[in-house]
Amino acid sequence: MSVHRSAAPRYTVTGGAVLRGKVQISGAKNASLAAMCAALLTDEDVILTNVPKISDVDTLGELLVSLGCVVERLGNGRLRLNGGGVRLFEAPSELISENRASFQVMGPLLAAHGYAASAPPGGDVIGQRPIDVHLEGFRALGARISRDGERYVAEAADGPLSLKGARIFMDYPSVSGSQNVMMAAVLASGHTTMVNAATEPEVQELAHLLNAMGAKISGIGSQMLEIDGVRELHGATARIMPDRIEAGTFAIAAAMSGGDVEIDDAPCGVMDALLAKLIAMGTSVDRAEGHLRIRGARELKSVNFQALPYPGLATDLHAPMATALTQAHGVSVIHERVFDNRMLYVTELLKMGARIVSTGNSAIITGPTALNGAHVRALDVRAGAAILLAALVADGVTVIDDIQHLDRGYEHLDTKLRALGVQIERS
Ligand code: EPU
């Protein structure tokens, strides 16, 4: 697997499309990344299907290969991973800085090999992203944590497979923290209870994969996970769940453009918070298992929302929802409650004529506003999505630079939008 880092690509979008047609949702970015790390817990093949072709998957794949893991695209969204040849337990810092999920190699390496080292994780600049919850979890399982320059080093006193089950209180229900500690605990001897674990669908998915590999995790979906450690895990095959954030982004796009879009493979069962808001805005939402039809209202209504841990409205949909609210009648108030710097999209939306007052982690949006095309940037993956949605309804042409951020999380985004009637070019 190799990562292509071309010079910053851009989208040129002609506004005014009313989205119509069908779109197929790809596999979930964050579920894929965690599942790939889980392959480090066994010598046998882990086969993942429905893995999206996005750069975050490529970057993590490259990191896993550098550790000695086999990462092979089998075609058609199938990925074969084999951790049997892993001999290096240290994530190269140039790769870790690109992607937050990379730090999730720590838990499995520590459990299986007794040693793991990594620089702090990278990823989007969306606020402070501490890792205390990960490290405290490892410590509770008996690991010694130290700093060696930039790197965190985690060591199990008695080597491979020597972690010991414990009762762990997660100070914050961190998504990747819960996944990381869970991956360490499945191979720890005895019983582990994780209290205040994250309940995000991607955490649940990882727990199901680990169980398919032979782990014993119960309480999946609750904030209290019970784990009976096992001596070894075996291979498994799992289908990556569809991406609720991608599905949500298309649903918002359909709603705000006044369109009529059918979304196939939408994980409706984990999208309640968003769908409730879209309905409150006046959108017509027809949902069935794995299928959504969104028809935009002639006149959207303003709503207030808070971005919260699951099952609240996902922080990853905050920015796209903010764009939709620029088209709604009235004043909408938004509070970001998960990250402390998820407002990067505001400056770019202001360039397009949006009326937004933002203080700290809140924004007040007054609508509807006729947005104008502009030269803007995708500042992170979700801020980029927000700007792209704005471009869809703007008057004239919008040029969006730095869309490599969008490539991190959205598969074939321009192709999918073109099929819905959007004029969008990539260069
Ligand atoms: N936090 C702590 N201590 C920790 C870890 C996190 O205080 O040890 C705090 C963070 O400062 C933040 C909050 O907890 O304020 C949430 O962070 P969390 O750890 O839950 O997020 P994450 O695991 O870093 C994952 C997704 C994000 C998604 C969040 C929240 C991956 C690779 N990333 O991040 O996805 O926004 O959960 O749902 O799974 C994205 O896809 O655009 C994205 C950023």
Side-chain angles (χ1 to χ4, degrees), residues 29-30 33 100-101 124 126 128-134 172-176 200 315-316 338-339 342 381-382:
K29 167 171 88 81
N30 292 338
L33 300 175
R100 171 91 179 165
D124 287 320
I126 56 178
Q128 269 203 35
R129 301 185 80 173
I131 43 169
D132 51 303
V133 168
H134 307 233
Y172 183 94
S174 157
V175 171
S176 52
E200 266 69 5
T315 172
D316 295 341
V338 179
F339 287 110
R342 262 231 142 140
V381 53
R382 309 304 172 192

Coordinates of all heavy atoms in Angstrom, one line a residue, residues 29-30 33 100-101 124 126 128-134 172-176 200 315-316 338-339 342 381-382, ligand 1:
K29 N -14.9 5.5 7.8 CA -13.5 5.8 8.0 C -13.0 5.3 9.4 O -12.1 4.6 9.5 CB -13.3 7.3 7.9 CG -11.9 7.8 8.4 CD -11.7 9.3 8.1 CE -12.2 10.3 9.1 NZ -11.4 10.5 10.3
N30 N -13.7 5.8 10.4 CA -13.2 5.6 11.8 C -13.3 4.2 12.2 O -12.5 3.7 13.0 CB -13.8 6.6 12.8 CG -13.3 8.0 12.5 OD1 -12.3 8.2 11.9 ND2 -14.1 9.0 12.9
L33 N -10.3 2.3 10.5 CA -9.0 2.6 11.1 C -8.8 1.7 12.4 O -7.8 1.1 12.6 CB -8.9 4.1 11.4 CG -9.0 5.0 10.2 CD1 -9.0 6.4 10.6 CD2 -7.9 4.7 9.2
R100 N -4.7 10.7 13.6 CA -5.0 10.5 15.0 C -5.1 9.0 15.3 O -4.6 8.5 16.3 CB -6.3 11.2 15.3 CG -6.9 10.9 16.7 CD -6.4 11.8 17.7 NE -6.9 11.6 19.0 CZ -6.4 12.1 20.1 NH1 -5.3 12.9 20.0 NH2 -6.9 11.9 21.3
A101 N -5.7 8.3 14.4 CA -5.9 6.8 14.6 C -4.7 6.0 14.8 O -4.7 5.0 15.4 CB -6.8 6.2 13.5
D124 N -6.5 16.1 12.6 CA -6.9 17.5 12.3 C -6.6 18.4 13.5 O -6.5 18.0 14.6 CB -8.5 17.5 12.2 CG -8.9 16.9 10.8 OD1 -8.2 17.2 9.8 OD2 -9.9 16.2 10.8
I126 N -8.3 20.3 15.4 CA -9.6 20.6 15.9 C -9.7 20.8 17.3 O -10.8 20.7 17.9 CB -10.7 19.6 15.4 CG1 -10.3 18.2 15.9 CG2 -10.8 19.6 13.9 CD1 -11.3 17.1 15.5
Q128 N -7.5 20.7 21.4 CA -6.6 19.9 22.2 C -7.0 18.4 22.0 O -8.2 18.1 22.2 CB -6.8 20.3 23.6 CG -5.9 21.3 24.0 CD -5.7 21.3 25.6 OE1 -5.7 20.2 26.2 NE2 -5.6 22.4 26.2
R129 N -6.1 17.6 21.8 CA -6.4 16.2 21.6 C -5.5 15.4 22.5 O -4.6 14.7 22.1 CB -6.4 15.7 20.2 CG -7.4 16.6 19.4 CD -7.5 16.1 17.9 NE -8.4 15.0 17.8 CZ -8.7 14.5 16.6 NH1 -8.3 15.0 15.5 NH2 -9.5 13.5 16.6
P130 N -5.7 15.4 23.8 CA -4.9 14.7 24.8 C -5.1 13.2 24.7 O -6.0 12.8 24.1 CB -5.4 15.2 26.2 CG -6.7 15.7 25.9 CD -6.9 16.1 24.5
I131 N -4.2 12.5 25.3 CA -4.2 11.0 25.3 C -4.2 10.4 26.7 O -3.9 9.3 26.9 CB -3.1 10.5 24.4 CG1 -1.8 11.2 24.7 CG2 -3.5 10.5 23.0 CD1 -0.6 10.5 24.1
D132 N -4.5 11.3 27.7 CA -4.4 10.8 29.1 C -5.3 9.6 29.3 O -4.9 8.7 30.1 CB -4.8 12.0 30.0 CG -6.1 12.6 29.7 OD1 -6.2 13.1 28.5 OD2 -7.0 12.6 30.5
V133 N -6.5 9.6 28.7 CA -7.4 8.5 28.9 C -6.8 7.1 28.4 O -6.9 6.1 29.1 CB -8.7 8.8 28.2 CG1 -9.6 7.5 28.2 CG2 -9.5 9.9 28.9
H134 N -6.1 7.2 27.3 CA -5.4 6.0 26.7 C -4.4 5.6 27.7 O -4.3 4.4 28.1 CB -4.7 6.3 25.4 CG -5.5 7.0 24.3 ND1 -5.6 6.4 23.1 CD2 -6.3 8.1 24.3 CE1 -6.4 7.2 22.3 NE2 -6.8 8.2 23.0
Y172 N -12.8 10.6 30.5 CA -13.7 11.1 29.5 C -14.0 9.9 28.5 O -13.1 9.1 28.3 CB -13.0 12.2 28.7 CG -13.9 12.9 27.7 CD1 -14.6 14.0 27.9 CD2 -14.0 12.3 26.4 CE1 -15.5 14.6 27.0 CE2 -14.9 12.9 25.4 CZ -15.6 14.0 25.8 OH -16.4 14.5 24.8
P173 N -15.2 9.8 28.0 CA -15.5 8.7 27.2 C -14.9 8.9 25.8 O -15.6 9.1 24.8 CB -17.0 8.6 27.1 CG -17.5 10.1 27.4 CD -16.4 10.7 28.3
S174 N -13.6 8.9 25.7 CA -12.9 9.1 24.5 C -13.1 7.9 23.5 O -13.0 6.8 23.9 CB -11.4 9.2 24.8 OG -10.6 8.9 23.6
V175 N -13.4 8.3 22.2 CA -13.6 7.2 21.3 C -12.4 6.4 21.0 O -12.4 5.2 21.3 CB -14.1 7.8 19.9 CG1 -14.2 6.8 18.8 CG2 -15.5 8.5 20.2
S176 N -11.3 7.0 20.6 CA -10.1 6.2 20.3 C -9.5 5.7 21.6 O -8.8 4.6 21.6 CB -9.1 7.0 19.5 OG -8.8 8.2 20.1
E200 N -19.9 5.2 20.9 CA -20.0 5.5 19.5 C -20.1 4.1 18.7 O -19.5 3.1 19.1 CB -18.8 6.2 19.0 CG -19.0 7.8 19.0 CD -19.1 8.4 20.4 OE1 -18.9 7.7 21.4 OE2 -19.3 9.6 20.5
T315 N -20.1 15.4 16.5 CA -19.3 16.6 16.3 C -18.8 16.6 14.8 O -18.6 17.7 14.3 CB -18.1 16.6 17.2 OG1 -17.2 17.6 16.9 CG2 -17.3 15.3 17.2
D316 N -18.7 15.5 14.2 CA -18.3 15.4 12.8 C -19.3 15.9 11.8 O -19.0 16.1 10.6 CB -17.8 14.0 12.4 CG -16.6 13.5 13.2 OD1 -15.9 14.4 13.8 OD2 -16.4 12.3 13.2
V338 N -17.7 18.7 22.2 CA -16.7 17.6 22.2 C -15.3 18.1 22.0 O -14.4 17.8 22.8 CB -17.1 16.6 21.1 CG1 -16.0 15.4 21.0 CG2 -18.5 16.0 21.3
F339 N -15.1 18.9 21.0 CA -13.7 19.4 20.7 C -13.7 20.9 21.0 O -14.8 21.6 20.9 CB -13.3 19.2 19.3 CG -12.9 17.7 19.1 CD1 -13.7 16.9 18.3 CD2 -11.8 17.2 19.6 CE1 -13.4 15.6 18.1 CE2 -11.5 15.8 19.4 CZ -12.3 15.0 18.6
R342 N -13.5 23.4 16.9 CA -14.2 22.9 15.7 C -14.9 23.9 14.9 O -15.8 23.7 14.1 CB -15.2 21.8 16.1 CG -14.5 20.4 15.9 CD -15.3 19.4 15.1 NE -14.4 18.7 14.2 CZ -14.6 17.4 14.0 NH1 -15.5 16.7 14.6 NH2 -13.8 16.7 13.1
V381 N -11.1 18.0 7.6 CA -12.0 17.1 6.8 C -13.4 17.6 6.9 O -14.1 17.7 5.9 CB -11.8 15.6 7.2 CG1 -11.9 15.3 8.6 CG2 -12.7 14.7 6.4
R382 N -13.9 17.9 8.1 CA -15.3 18.2 8.2 C -15.6 19.7 7.9 O -16.6 20.1 7.4 CB -15.8 17.9 9.6 CG -15.5 16.5 10.1 CD -16.1 15.4 9.1 NE -15.6 14.1 9.5 CZ -15.7 13.0 8.8 NH1 -16.2 13.0 7.6 NH2 -15.2 11.8 9.2
Ligands
EPU1 N1 -10.0 13.6 25.3 C1 -9.4 13.7 26.5 N2 -8.5 12.8 26.9 C2 -8.1 11.8 26.0 C3 -8.7 11.7 24.8 C4 -9.7 12.6 24.5 O1 -9.7 14.6 27.3 O2 -7.3 11.0 26.4 C5 -11.0 14.6 24.9 C6 -10.5 15.4 23.7 O3 -9.7 16.5 24.1 C7 -11.8 15.8 23.1 C8 -12.8 14.7 23.4 O4 -12.1 14.0 24.4 O5 -12.2 17.0 23.6 C9 -13.1 13.8 22.3 O6 -12.0 13.1 21.8 P1 -12.1 11.6 21.4 O7 -10.8 10.9 22.0 O8 -13.4 11.0 21.8 O9 -11.9 11.7 19.9 P2 -10.9 10.9 19.0 O10 -10.9 9.5 19.4 O11 -9.6 11.6 18.9 C10 -12.6 10.1 17.2 C11 -12.7 10.3 15.8 C12 -13.1 11.7 15.4 C13 -14.4 12.1 16.1 C14 -14.3 11.8 17.6 C15 -15.5 12.1 18.4 C16 -11.2 8.6 15.0 C17 -9.9 8.3 14.3 N3 -11.5 9.9 15.1 O12 -11.6 11.0 17.6 O13 -13.2 11.8 14.0 O14 -14.7 13.4 15.9 O15 -13.9 10.5 17.8 O16 -16.6 11.3 17.9 O17 -11.9 7.7 15.3 C18 -13.3 12.9 12.0 O18 -13.6 11.8 11.5 O19 -13.4 14.0 11.4 C19 -12.8 12.9 13.3 C20 -12.2 13.9 13.9

